[in-house]
Amino acid sequence: MAAVAMAAACGRLLLRGAAARPSRCFSSSGCRRSTDGETAKFQPPPKPVIIDKQRQREERRYLSPEFIPPRGRTDPLKFYIERKDMIQRRKVFNIPEFYVGSILAVTTADPYADGKTNRFVGICIQRGGKGLGATFVLRNVIEDQGVEICYELYSPRIQEIKVLKLEKRLDDNLMYLRDALPEYSTFDVNMKPESRLDHEEIPVNKLQVRMKPKPWSKRWERPKYNIKGIKFELPEKKMKAAQKWSQPWLEFDMLREYDTSKIEEKIWKEINEELKK
Amino acid sequence: MAGWALLARLGARLRAAGAAGHRGQLGLVARHGNDATWWHEHLSEENVQFLKKTTAEEYKAQTASKLCPLKDEPWPLNEWKPDSVRVGVVAVKLGMMPIWTKSGKKHAVTLLKVQDCHVLRYISKEESEGKTAKLIVGGKNVSPFFKSEAAMDIFKEAGVPRKQKVTAFNVTDDAIIKPGTPLYAAHFRPGQFVDVTAKTIGKGFQGVMKRWGFKGQPASHGQTKTHRRPGAISTNKAAKVYRGKKMPGKMGNVYRTSYGLKVWRINTKHDIIYVNGSVPGHTNCLVKVKDTKLPNYKDCNKNPPFPTFFADGDEKLPEDLYDEEVFQFTDPSVTYA
């Protein structure tokens, strides 16, 4: 009964609102009109938003960057053959999803180590190479010594790749961590893996890193590196002088555009079909 | 067969007519320097489409007719002897890839795809005036419309489409093959060693530092306009420059061979040979692959498919053939005991 009355009240509210402003009326039962002082200021609860977790998981597609073929005159058959090998390796050995800025623990087979395995924990600072030769570089500071190891994703010596913390950073390439204060590259070797829900978006760590005093290995303030993750404490004059090397025409250069959306679609379908088998 | 032959005759007729020259207003003959026409210049659109369609069908029929060489009365098949030299193959260089061995070591391999390889002609020892018989082999299929009828004779005889690369292989008499037989990647086996010949990438006119690896001169400390020059080209006593003196000139675009390359893997479905190391030539160039002439690898090249691998024979090969040391991706990761 009460529900019906409320519904009737809502209906009257809406009609009045519609009558008052005949054009462009997006009246919802939530918005109040100045004339509706006498009617009950009833706002029904907001509609529950149903998140279909499975669909979200499917919608969020991640295609590893080494699958996307580089632009060139190579026969697509060569990439197809390479992709078959890559998928075959992925069926036997799990290569998780990770980005530059995630913290990984990698165990490799080492003939000269105790127990014949070697475990290294570090932050991924770079992902390079295409196809079977794809690599990623992990960096950590162990006993005040910075160590970087470049691993090949598809090498058979890798026993396990575990993602301890999955996150993205503001840049694609974190090579500037070599010139940053060591605290930003130190990670606990016995860190526990962070649990996260499947359907969440990958968190972007907007950390701005503080640098050691200059000289650096590269002039990171220059626009060609396009770094957003450094807190530059250089004087304004130096920052302005660095902008002299900017090339503002580069973003409009049409010959440099490489639209990979269609290629990615095809490869995504192919990989999914193969992995299901 | 009919399509491009008709066209070649048409072209010859037109060229004869055009070569007479056009008499201008003053009664003088204005000769055109270039009276070449392209194959469909004087054809209507429909005819062009028709010719393209017929040649495509013709090619398909020709390849299909050559698929069963063992049923087409092949020439006598002999046994392999350590002295016999067998045919090679013409392949397309696809690109390079890493490959891992079971011990975890990485090697770089080049992928060579054997695309539409057919034997075209047999030249006996007496005919060729050489020491051995020759077999002419052709590679990748291309369009027949840009060559004269005379040039297409060799393909007509063999009954195959026109090939982009045509090379000769020196072969012993017991390894001769009937013209028209297709050659496949399974002609080679993993563990074997091959030589690969191709034209190197052309670099144009290059100076002495890039072409011959000279050291040049220092960048500073008083050098006047001399940083990449050859310096002295001969001695005082010689009073001449010797023949073959290394000097600047055109570099690249020459045939060079890489010897002793190991075959790691063969893909029979796509006819791809995985060959160790690098191979001369750019991507998608045509290369000549044959068994090694190096004496150290004589043991590894024993008992190959002789005279070649016949696809319609009794042997049914799996899709991928690997060398014993190659790590196959179906296996679990490598561990050291």
Side-chain angles (χ1 to χ4, degrees):
Chain A
M1 272 291 280
V4 173
M6 273 197 265
C10 293
R12 251 178 277 138
L13 246 171
L14 275 164
L15 281 167
R16 211 163 294 169
R21 274 181 240 144
S23 58
R24 280 195 278 130
C25 197
F26 301 117
S27 61
S28 64
S29 43
C31 72
R32 232 177 280 171
R33 306 264 177 271
S34 46
T35 48
D36 297 336
E38 64 272 26
T39 43
K41 290 186 183 78
F42 169 70
Q43 275 149 28
K47 261 193 178 166
V49 181
I50 308 164
I51 310 169
D52 192 1
K53 290 186 190 170
Q54 252 203 336
R55 210 200 296 172
Q56 268 209 337
R57 222 175 297 149
E58 280 168 35
E59 277 171 8
R60 197 171 71 69
R61 319 209 251 178
Y62 173 68
L63 182 66
S64 210
E66 73 266 6
F67 279 104
I68 301 163
R71 194 158 70 141
R73 293 161 114 188
T74 334
D75 201 351
L77 174 72
K78 188 246 177 186
F79 298 126
Y80 172 71
I81 301 273
E82 231 179 342
R83 241 175 291 138
K84 264 192 352 194
D85 276 339
M86 285 152 78
I87 293 170
Q88 188 52 263
R89 175 71 180 155
R90 276 180 185 248
K91 280 190 197 169
V92 175
F93 173 71
N94 172 46
I95 297 176
E97 167 193 352
F98 67 97
Y99 303 87
V100 168
S102 333
I103 302 171
L104 308 183
V106 173
T107 24
T108 41
D110 192 349
Y112 310 113
D114 293 331
K116 305 297 174 193
T117 51
N118 184 349
R119 182 173 185 266
F120 187 73
V121 173
I123 184 171
C124 174
I125 55 173
Q126 177 182 276
R127 280 189 82 162
K130 297 283 178 197
L132 277 175
T135 55
F136 63 101
V137 182
L138 292 184
R139 179 184 167 81
N140 203 343
V141 171
I142 297 175
E143 290 174 21
D144 295 331
Q145 174 61 51
V147 178
E148 283 182 17
I149 305 187
C150 177
Y151 290 103
E152 284 149 12
L153 270 176
Y154 295 94
S155 166
R157 282 172 59 174
I158 298 187
Q159 314 279 338
E160 192 200 4
I161 302 181
K162 200 167 17 177
V163 177
L164 301 174
K165 186 171 186 193
L166 181 67
E167 64 176 8
K168 282 194 209 186
R169 290 274 258 242
L170 291 170
D171 306 302
D172 258 342
N173 201 311
L174 296 178
M175 284 293 174
Y176 56 81
L177 288 179
R178 294 169 177 170
D179 299 315
L181 297 171
E183 63 200 40
Y184 294 102
S185 314
T186 11
F187 299 96
D188 182 21
V189 185
N190 304 313
M191 196 160 131
K192 291 279 179 269
E194 212 184 62
S195 60
R196 52 179 295 277
L197 303 161
D198 248 350
H199 61 269
E200 269 176 11
E201 290 266 340
I202 320 279
V204 178
N205 189 353
K206 297 197 177 49
L207 175 66
Q208 298 249 304
V209 146
R210 288 187 60 220
M211 305 291 275
K212 290 197 258 199
K214 269 205 165 197
W216 297 331
S217 59
K218 295 248 184 285
R219 294 173 220 247
W220 302 112
E221 73 276 10
R222 295 229 172 137
K224 93 167 195 201
Y225 298 107
N226 193 17
I227 294 198
K228 306 203 170 36
I230 298 183
K231 187 178 173 118
F232 289 109
E233 279 150 8
L234 299 169
E236 262 305 311
K237 223 169 87 166
K238 288 234 157 76
M239 295 302 290
K240 262 187 82 178
Q243 290 304 313
K244 203 163 55 150
W245 279 269
S246 68
Q247 294 173 311
W249 57 85
L250 268 190
E251 61 173 311
F252 303 107
D253 193 342
M254 292 175 76
L255 284 182
R256 273 174 212 263
E257 285 169 8
Y258 181 38
D259 185 23
T260 50
S261 47
K262 292 197 188 116
I263 304 170
E264 275 184 45
E265 283 285 329
K266 270 194 242 167
I267 296 176
W268 174 258
K269 266 191 238 162
E270 195 188 311
I271 292 175
N272 267 13
E273 273 177 42
E274 286 289 320
L275 282 174
K276 274 179 203 156
K277 286 187 200 169
Chain B
M1 199 85 61
W4 42 258
L6 176 82
L7 207 57
R9 263 174 267 142
L10 234 176
R13 235 179 284 153
L14 282 163
R15 238 169 284 132
H22 304 283
R23 304 219 174 255
Q25 279 190 323
L26 296 170
L28 297 164
V29 176
R31 293 201 150 259
H32 292 277
N34 176 27
D35 45 351
T37 62
W38 57 96
W39 69 279
H40 56 86
E41 189 181 5
H42 302 285
L43 291 182
S44 67
E45 288 267 339
E46 295 173 346
N47 289 350
V48 166
Q49 297 306 319
F50 171 74
L51 277 171
K52 281 192 182 165
K53 209 160 51 123
T54 30
T55 28
E57 282 160 17
E58 214 176 285
Y59 273 21
K60 268 194 217 152
Q62 279 176 337
T63 6
S65 69
K66 299 290 173 193
L67 280 177
C68 309
L70 284 178
K71 298 194 181 103
D72 274 344
E73 301 153 354
W75 288 355
L77 308 170
N78 303 318
E79 283 293 314
W80 178 82
K81 286 188 208 74
D83 283 342
S84 356
V85 177
R86 51 179 198 146
V87 197
V89 126
V90 175
V92 179
K93 173 176 168 178
L94 288 183
M96 294 185 74
M97 205 161 93
I99 203 173
W100 285 271
T101 52
K102 291 201 167 123
S103 57
K105 258 192 119 174
K106 182 165 99 150
H107 298 270
V109 283
T110 317
L111 309 194
L112 301 174
K113 181 178 162 88
V114 180
Q115 209 170 354
D116 315 314
C117 193
H118 284 96
V119 175
L120 299 175
R121 195 188 274 177
Y122 160 64
I123 302 176
S124 61
K125 212 196 296 190
E126 294 76 30
E127 248 182 277
S128 72
E129 295 154 33
K131 295 183 196 166
T132 47
K134 288 208 219 300
L135 272 180
I136 302 195
V137 173
K140 207 163 119 175
N141 284 355
V142 278
S143 150
F145 301 122
F146 299 98
K147 285 278 175 184
S148 58
E149 213 179 311
M152 299 290 280
D153 266 341
I154 184 173
F155 305 109
K156 214 184 342 173
E157 271 174 65
V160 288
R162 181 191 156 211
K163 306 290 181 190
Q164 187 176 334
K165 185 172 170 83
V166 171
T167 39
F169 289 96
N170 287 339
V171 161
T172 43
D173 284 317
D174 50 353
I176 55 179
I177 305 175
K178 184 177 175 181
T181 9
L183 299 172
Y184 300 100
H187 180 79
F188 298 103
R189 290 296 150 92
Q192 204 181 347
F193 286 80
V194 288
D195 294 339
V196 180
T197 313
K199 251 192 177 169
T200 46
I201 298 178
K203 314 258 174 186
F205 196 102
Q206 288 298 337
V208 109
M209 273 179 87
K210 191 181 185 71
R211 195 176 185 215
W212 300 113
F214 283 17
K215 279 190 76 176
Q217 288 83 26
S220 71
H221 287 301
Q223 313 290 323
T224 37
K225 309 198 297 183
T226 319
H227 305 289
R228 300 182 68 93
R229 298 179 75 188
I233 54 176
S234 189
T235 50
N236 180 28
K237 202 167 177 198
K240 68 170 188 173
V241 177
Y242 294 120
R243 181 174 319 149
K245 175 83 196 72
K246 293 181 178 175
M247 285 187 159
K250 291 251 158 63
M251 180 183 170
N253 203 27
V254 254
Y255 283 105
R256 288 284 185 258
T257 315
S258 297
Y259 296 101
L261 303 178
K262 181 167 174 172
V263 171
W264 286 110
R265 178 177 162 183
I266 306 262
N267 185 320
T268 36
K269 185 173 161 204
H270 297 279
D271 277 327
I272 299 183
I273 312 173
Y274 290 59
V275 141
N276 190 36
S278 59
V279 139
H282 54 86
T283 7
N284 297 327
C285 79
L286 287 164
V287 308
K288 188 172 159 175
V289 191
K290 38 195 252 209
D291 298 324
T292 313
K293 69 174 212 211
L294 297 179
N296 276 348
Y297 299 124
K298 268 197 199 150
D299 301 327
C300 306
N301 286 8
K302 283 204 170 128
N303 291 324
F306 197 77
T308 185
F309 169 75
F310 292 105
D312 57 333
D314 300 324
E315 231 184 321
K316 288 292 168 222
L317 293 175
E319 190 189 323
D320 268 305
L321 291 165
Y322 297 89
D323 183 47
E324 331 164 303
E325 287 169 46
V326 166
F327 170 79
Q328 303 180 29
F329 288 112
T330 38
D331 303 333
S333 303
V334 157
T335 37
Y336 298 103

